């Protein structure tokens, strides 16, 4: 039986109880945890993502004009939300990692805010990469965005790797680009091994995101879903908390 709670104090109390009872929590985060930080949800109406649509991976790889356009859009988006700071949800999860309650945070987000809230990379599994740096697609060398931007602003040319000549791309997973195999495997294995799977701010519509909650359930974990809107997996959950994500997580942040 799924319990659906939308009253704030009750949601907070039930969440604390669920967290207390658990010893190996996997948190799964989507765009909803970052919206209070000013990072727009890709799916929301008027999202700047619609104006600066990501370029598909095969176009990026095959067309230099598309690569230049991809970088123009990337920097335009960074101007909109590149200075975002972590929110209450990120600090709540950081706190639970520090207490040893959360073993891993699997995220669909590319905003780096969970790291900025003090969680080390060993506890974070990024399914869609990270938008705060870039890598060479051929040799993997890391590049910093401010260096790329300086050169791009001066020449307008898409950057290429100084070591191998490969294309440099933001370290995110684009549409049409294969999912990162290692991150996926890692996410699946921590999910199968947790005793509480806590999905936060994800619509749980897109695969592979949608497959994790059922995997956790199959392995006997409790499932708690926290989101502003109903998700298609709510019926699978033990507890559904519906409301403002920052408000509900706030007591766990201190
Ligand atoms: Zn290279």
């Amino acid at each position: 039986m799924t319990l659906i709670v939308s009253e704030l104090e009750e949601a907070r109390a039930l969440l604390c109880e669920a967290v207390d009872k658990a010893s190996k929590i996997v948190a799964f985060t989507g765009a909803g945890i970052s919206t209070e930080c000013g990072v727009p949800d890709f799916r929301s109406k008027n999202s700047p993502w619609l104006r600066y649509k990501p370029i598909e991976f095969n176009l990026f790889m095959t067309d230099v004009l598309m690569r230049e356009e991809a970088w123009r859009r990337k920097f335009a988006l960074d101007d909109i939300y590149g200075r975002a700071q972590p929110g209450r949800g990120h600090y709540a999860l950081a706190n639970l990692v520090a207490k040893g309650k959360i073993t891993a945070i699997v995220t669909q987000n590319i905003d780096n805010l969970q790291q900025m809230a003090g969680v080390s990379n060993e506890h974070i599994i990024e399914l869609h990469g990270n938008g705060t740096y870039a890598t060479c697609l051929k040799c993997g060398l890391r590049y910093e965005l401010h260096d790329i931007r300086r050169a791009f602003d001066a020449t307008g040319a898409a950057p290429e790797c100084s070591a191998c000549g490969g294309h440099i791309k933001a370290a995110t997973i684009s549409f049409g680009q294969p999912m990162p195999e290692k991150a996926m495997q890692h996410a699946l294995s921590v999910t199968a091994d947790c005793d509480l799977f806590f999905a936060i701010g994800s619509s749980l519509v897109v695969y592979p995101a949608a497959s994790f909650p059922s995997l956790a359930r199959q392995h006997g974990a409790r499932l708690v879903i926290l989101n502003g809107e109903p998700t298609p997996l709510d019926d699978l959950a033990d507890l559904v908390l519906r409301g403002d994500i920052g408000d509900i997580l706030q007591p766990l942040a201190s």
Side-chain angles (χ1 to χ4, degrees):
M1 248 322 255
T2 305
L3 177 61
I4 300 178
V5 179
S6 53
E7 199 279 314
L8 178 61
E9 289 310 322
E10 192 187 358
R12 286 174 166 176
L14 287 169
L15 177 59
C16 282
E17 192 186 307
V19 165
D20 278 345
K21 275 192 211 152
S23 57
K24 272 195 283 185
I25 303 171
V26 166
F28 182 90
T29 60
I33 197 172
S34 296
T35 43
E36 74 171 6
C37 315
V39 180
D41 184 345
F42 182 67
R43 282 182 183 75
S44 69
K45 251 198 268 171
N46 305 321
S47 162
W49 283 86
L50 297 174
R51 226 175 331 137
Y52 304 111
K53 256 192 172 159
I55 305 284
E56 275 182 43
F57 187 61
N58 69 324
L59 291 174
F60 184 94
M61 292 304 284
T62 53
D63 187 341
V64 65
L65 295 177
M66 287 291 118
R67 285 199 289 286
E68 289 168 7
E69 181 60 21
W71 280 105
R72 257 192 297 279
R73 293 180 191 186
K74 162 71 181 155
F75 292 136
L77 283 173
D78 280 357
D79 285 342
I80 295 170
Y81 70 81
R83 285 187 187 82
Q85 295 296 313
R88 293 169 290 175
H90 300 103
Y91 286 113
L93 298 189
N95 210 4
L96 294 177
V97 170
K99 285 180 173 155
K101 281 279 185 184
I102 287 181
T103 52
I105 299 170
V106 180
T107 187
Q108 299 175 279
N109 299 337
I110 58 166
D111 53 32
N112 204 51
L113 293 178
Q114 195 60 70
Q115 287 91 331
M116 286 168 69
V119 180
S120 70
N121 272 319
E122 65 175 312
H123 293 292
I124 301 177
I125 303 170
E126 294 174 317
L127 296 178
H128 298 161
N130 187 307
T132 61
Y133 62 94
T135 52
C136 168
L137 288 168
K138 206 164 159 189
C139 75
L141 196 63
R142 174 174 169 143
Y143 287 87
E144 301 310 321
L145 293 180
H146 51 87
D147 295 330
I148 292 178
R149 185 160 194 172
R150 203 178 308 122
F152 185 79
D153 285 346
T155 66
E160 300 204 323
C161 180
S162 54
C164 78
H167 304 321
I168 297 171
K169 184 179 160 298
T172 48
I173 306 300
S174 298
F175 291 102
Q177 187 172 2
M179 292 293 290
E181 197 55 38
K182 244 175 81 181
M184 270 302 289
Q185 285 309 323
H186 191 189
L188 291 170
S189 91
V190 293
T191 298
D193 190 42
C194 70
D195 62 1
L196 171 62
F197 190 88
F198 184 19
I200 304 158
S202 171
S203 55
L204 300 175
V205 172
V206 182
Y207 280 82
S211 60
F212 289 102
S214 20
L215 176 70
R217 290 293 276 135
Q218 281 161 27
H219 285 80
R222 294 193 78 208
L223 174 61
V224 176
I225 294 176
L226 164 57
N227 200 37
E229 310 287 325
T231 82
L233 301 185
D234 286 355
D235 288 347
L236 204 65
D238 300 282
L239 177 61
V240 172
L241 308 171
R242 212 167 278 161
D244 184 87
I245 291 167
D247 284 349
I248 292 174
L249 287 173
Q250 185 172 301
L252 292 171
S254 49

